[in-house]
């Protein structure tokens, strides 16, 4: 038995997967706060404990994500765009051709070739518009857990417009809508729609070819998936636990 | 008295109207008139009337600088000059007397030795890079990418094109000078500028360079506007292309590095 470990040190969450023969045996995550190396090490220890995994059965440890250089004890490092492509292509059974990844602080759109290699990619500039951070801010303002966003958006009776995905301007807009008596459901629906428009803007004039997958933490928001399907006029696929596909891809890079 | 853009308006100011077309005889004539007007303005300001000899000497000095700089460009292509050194040497042109800069470069050229074989060879196009804002150059190195050619006006394009001095009269020399800054200029502010794309193609296709990075500095919009006209044909030619928009602040460093690392991995897939 040889178990490889993939570590994704993201801007808002640290994710770890333990993988044996392409199968994820254990996964765990924790919020990113100062002291990322200790947090990551703690997660790895937790995984080892849960799997009762002795030292000699651990294969390689591959790190990816913004904080990959902060974790010294790695066998390999890989950028998160390449890891994302490798992981999701494998998890999708080779079906994925377009990947939309919404991370804590960025949005990436990847186009893959038939072998799963990155043919092209786009990413937002320094602005955090339409990213996971944007959703977190909205969740605080609306006093609503992120996991409820999908269900609440479905209950929206009216469609209101949120003009900005800028985290700063959107805050003003949300407060203004609340002051006007607009319901949380309608505002959440508007948030999802505005992020979907932003993602479509990054995709630009290019038509998505083949199966389109959404991953990253916000992919768990079913309302966002539906908004993207409406905006892009195509089916959007989401894997079982979309926040772990980049960490999984780090392990896939070993093969 | 303070005036436009904080300038002391008592300082003599001469406006140059730049042409927006290159392949137009009218634009060329207008630009020649502008250069002649600048000559008269400088003569009035300095109290020295430029002679034909002064103009010829100056053109010759620039030609010599260009010839020496071309050898540096070739040395970088051959992998003998690290990218950051190249940009520093090019930048220093703006800070020194041209004769001294040329002599120093001439003396330094034989000292450049062949470097270890570099991977991730790229061509850097787009907005100029001036010291100390070497953020992008630093990130390129961290990402394992090596710039072996560029078309930046702060770098490979810093000197005007070679002058053809087939008419040694005052007018002929002035025309040659004007044409070198007009016909020879590849700035995207020109509307009819197919030569920009052709220049990149010529510098990249058939070489070991597999990727083009377009640097768009916020505020230097012509490069942003032209990005689509470069991206599509360069990708069709089998090259990898990435457009990076940034500014003088350091805060987008991680974001840029992520993209550059992925771009480097993409080059390896070719």
């Amino acid at each position: 038995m040889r178990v490889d470990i993939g570590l994704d040190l993201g801007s808002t969450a640290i994710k770890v997967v333990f993988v044996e023969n392409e199968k994820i045996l254990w996964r765990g995550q924790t919020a990113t706060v100062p002291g990322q190396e200790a947090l990551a090490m703690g997660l790895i220890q937790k995984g080892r404990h849960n799997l009762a995994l002795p030292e000699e059965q651990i294969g390689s440890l591959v790190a990816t994500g913004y904080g990959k250089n902060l974790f010294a004890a790695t066998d390999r490092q890989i950028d998160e765009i390449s890891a994302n492509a490798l992981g999701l292509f494998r998890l999708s059974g080779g079906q994925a051709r377009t990947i939309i990844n919404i991370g804590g602080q960025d949005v990436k759109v990847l186009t893959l070739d038939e072998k799963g290699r990155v043919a092209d990619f786009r990413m937002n500039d320094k602005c955090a518009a339409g990213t996971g951070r944007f959703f977190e801010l909205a969740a605080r303002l609306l006093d609503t857990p992120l996991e409820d966003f999908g269900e609440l958006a479905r209950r929206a009776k009216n469609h209101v417009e949120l003009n900005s995905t800028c985290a700063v301007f959107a805050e003003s807009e949300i407060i203004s809508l609340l002051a006007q008596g607009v319901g949380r459901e309608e505002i959440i629906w508007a948030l999802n729609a505005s992020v979907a428009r932003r993602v479509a803007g990054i995709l630009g004039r290019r038509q998505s070819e083949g199966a389109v997958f959404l991953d990253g933490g916000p992919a768990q928001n079913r309302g966002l998936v539906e908004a993207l399907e409406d905006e892009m006029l195509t089916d959007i696929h989401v894997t079982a636990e979309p926040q772990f596909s980049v960490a999984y891809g780090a392990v896939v890079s070993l093969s | 008295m303070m005036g436009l853009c904080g300038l002391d308006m008592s300082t003599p100011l001469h406006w140059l109207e730049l042409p927006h077309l290159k392949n137009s005889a009218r634009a060329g004539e207008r630009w020649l008139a502008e250069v002649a007007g600048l000559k008269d303005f400088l003569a009035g300001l300095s109290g020295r009337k430029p002679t034909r000899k002064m103009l010829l000497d100056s053109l010759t000095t620039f030609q010599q600088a260009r010839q020496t700089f071309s050898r540096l460009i070739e040395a970088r292509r051959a992998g003998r000059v690290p990218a950051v050194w190249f940009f520093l040497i090019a930048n220093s042109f703006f800070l020194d007397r041209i004769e001294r800069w040329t002599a120093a470069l001439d003396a330094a050229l034989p000292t450049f030795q062949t470097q270890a074989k570099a991977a991730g060879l790229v061509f850097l196009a787009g907005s100029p890079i001036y010291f100390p804002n070497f953020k992008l150059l630093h990130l390129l190195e961290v990402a394992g990418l090596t710039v072996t050619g560029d078309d930046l006006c702060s770098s490979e394009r810093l000197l005007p094109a070679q002058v053809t001095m087939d008419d040694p009269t005052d007018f002929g020399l002035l025309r040659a000078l004007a044409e070198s800054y007009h016909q020879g200029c590849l700035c995207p502010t020109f509307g009819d500028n197919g030569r920009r794309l052709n220049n990149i193609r010529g510098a990249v296709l058939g070489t070991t360079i597999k990727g083009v990075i377009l640097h768009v500095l916020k505020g230097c919009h012509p490069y942003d506007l032209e990005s689509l006209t470069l991206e599509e044909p360069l990708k069709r030619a089998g090259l990898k292309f990435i457009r990076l928009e940034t500014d003088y602040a350091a805060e987008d460093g991680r974001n840029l590095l992520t993209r550059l690392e992925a771009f480097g991995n993409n080059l390896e897939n070719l």
Side-chain angles (χ1 to χ4, degrees):
Chain A
M1 183 182 185
R2 173 196 151 109
V3 178
D4 296 310
I5 302 171
L7 174 62
D8 176 10
L9 292 129
S11 59
T12 54
I14 299 171
K15 286 81 67 180
V16 172
V17 293
F18 284 64
V19 180
E20 184 195 21
N21 294 330
E22 300 185 10
K23 189 180 172 199
I24 297 176
L25 301 179
W26 185 87
R27 81 275 287 157
Q29 65 177 329
T30 185
T32 300
V33 290
Q36 290 181 59
E37 189 170 19
L39 284 169
M41 196 54 88
L43 262 183
I44 290 168
Q45 294 304 334
K46 190 174 170 186
R48 278 188 62 187
H49 178 76
N50 281 4
L51 292 171
L53 191 67
E55 178 91 38
E56 60 272 18
Q57 287 183 4
I58 295 177
S60 298
L61 197 162
V62 188
T64 186
Y66 276 104
K68 64 181 183 293
N69 296 317
L70 301 173
F71 194 84
T74 58
D75 298 299
R76 183 185 168 140
Q77 295 180 348
I78 181 172
D79 70 273
E80 57 262 44
I81 292 174
S82 303
N84 198 172
L86 289 165
L88 197 44
F89 188 75
R90 182 73 62 88
L91 289 169
S92 70
Q95 297 299 305
R97 290 293 179 278
T98 300
I99 300 173
I100 300 163
N101 176 286
I102 303 185
Q105 288 184 354
D106 56 37
V107 178
K108 309 179 191 85
V109 179
L110 284 64
T111 311
L112 310 186
D113 67 15
E114 68 283 356
K115 292 181 178 169
R117 295 176 303 198
V118 179
D120 202 1
F121 64 89
R122 301 220 166 187
M123 192 169 162
N124 65 315
D125 293 320
K126 65 175 78 170
C127 169
T131 65
R133 191 70 79 190
F134 172 77
F135 279 110
E136 282 179 8
L137 177 91
R140 275 203 300 275
L141 283 171
L142 297 169
D143 195 21
T144 305
L146 274 170
E147 50 269 29
D148 293 348
F149 269 36
E151 186 52 39
L152 286 169
R154 281 190 176 144
R155 287 194 220 150
K157 293 189 177 69
N158 302 305
H159 289 173
V160 295
E161 193 85 356
L162 199 63
N163 294 311
S164 183
T165 48
C166 166
V168 176
F169 293 130
E171 181 174 356
S172 311
E173 275 198 79
I174 291 169
I175 291 169
S176 173
L177 288 170
L178 286 170
Q180 291 167 37
V182 177
R184 277 188 313 169
E185 293 83 354
E186 280 73 22
I187 294 174
I188 290 168
W189 183 92
L191 280 166
N192 290 334
S194 70
V195 171
R197 281 197 302 275
R198 161 91 173 151
V199 170
I202 292 173
L203 192 65
R205 296 179 305 155
R206 294 174 308 171
Q207 295 294 311
S208 53
E209 294 168 6
V212 182
F213 279 75
L214 175 68
D215 70 355
Q220 297 167 98
N221 172 359
R222 189 61 214 165
L224 176 61
V225 177
E226 288 167 5
L228 273 167
E229 287 178 333
D230 276 355
E231 188 65 36
M232 295 173 62
L233 299 175
T234 188
D235 291 335
I236 305 287
H237 305 274
V238 181
T239 53
E241 291 179 294
Q243 67 272 43
F244 292 106
S245 49
V246 178
Y248 180 68
V251 173
V252 176
S253 74
L254 293 166
S255 53
Chain B
M1 181 181 75
M2 298 304 285
L4 185 71
C5 300
L7 287 172
D8 178 353
M9 294 305 280
S10 63
T11 302
L13 192 62
H14 179 80
W15 296 94
L16 280 170
E17 290 184 33
L18 306 181
H20 291 292
L21 293 174
K22 289 200 325 189
N23 302 319
S24 146
R26 187 160 156 252
E29 291 305 318
R30 283 179 57 194
W31 174 237
L32 177 58
E34 288 296 323
V35 174
L38 176 64
K39 179 180 159 231
D40 293 342
F41 170 74
L42 293 174
L45 197 66
S46 64
R48 294 170 68 202
K49 186 173 183 297
T51 64
R52 195 169 67 89
K53 182 175 181 309
M54 285 163 66
L55 190 55
L56 187 62
D57 286 350
S58 180
L59 286 168
T60 305
T61 302
F62 268 81
Q63 282 205 348
Q64 285 167 347
R66 180 165 186 82
Q67 283 163 6
T68 305
F69 188 51
S70 295
R71 286 164 53 209
L72 184 71
I73 292 172
E74 286 166 18
R76 177 170 67 162
R77 291 288 166 91
R80 295 203 305 275
V81 184
V84 172
W85 287 26
F86 182 91
F87 283 97
L88 276 171
I89 292 167
N91 267 202
S92 66
F93 171 82
F94 300 103
L95 307 170
D96 204 351
R97 285 193 0 256
I98 185 168
E99 297 88 348
R100 197 169 70 167
W101 181 83
T102 306
L105 180 54
D106 204 37
L109 271 164
T111 67
F112 292 121
Q113 305 294 319
T114 304
Q115 306 287 309
K117 194 168 173 57
L121 305 184
V122 294
F123 184 91
L124 184 60
S127 307
I129 291 177
Y130 290 103
F131 181 82
N133 179 31
F134 274 20
K135 174 178 70 175
L136 184 61
L137 300 178
H138 169 69
L139 293 172
L140 281 161
E141 284 203 349
V142 173
L145 297 168
T146 308
V147 179
T148 56
D150 73 78
D151 74 352
L152 274 52
C153 60
S154 59
S155 182
E156 280 202 26
R157 280 202 289 123
L158 69 86
L159 284 157
Q162 200 82 333
V163 177
T164 306
M165 292 184 289
D166 55 351
D167 178 357
T169 64
D170 280 5
F171 178 77
L173 291 174
L174 203 64
R175 176 181 284 278
L177 176 69
E179 283 180 354
S180 73
Y181 280 95
H182 182 217
Q183 293 300 322
C185 182
L186 290 175
C187 181
T189 53
F190 290 107
D192 51 347
N193 210 0
R195 272 180 57 198
R196 263 191 71 70
L197 176 61
N198 293 337
N199 182 58
I200 296 174
R201 280 190 179 127
V204 171
L205 295 179
T207 73
T208 48
I209 298 173
K210 300 295 179 209
V212 175
I213 294 171
L214 180 69
H215 168 232
V216 178
L217 195 60
K218 282 200 174 94
C220 200
H221 296 302
Y223 293 98
D224 198 8
L225 297 173
E226 74 160 359
S227 62
L228 273 178
T229 64
L230 295 181
E231 181 173 355
E232 297 295 334
L234 290 174
K235 281 182 175 173
R236 274 201 306 274
L239 294 161
K240 292 291 180 185
F241 178 94
I242 187 172
R243 170 190 163 281
L244 296 175
E245 183 173 340
T246 183
D247 53 26
Y248 291 105
E251 65 194 34
D252 61 347
R254 282 299 322 171
N255 182 309
L256 291 173
L257 185 58
T258 297
R259 283 187 271 179
L260 287 171
E261 287 174 340
F263 188 70
N265 270 336
N266 250 354
L267 294 182
E268 287 176 17
N269 289 336
L270 284 175

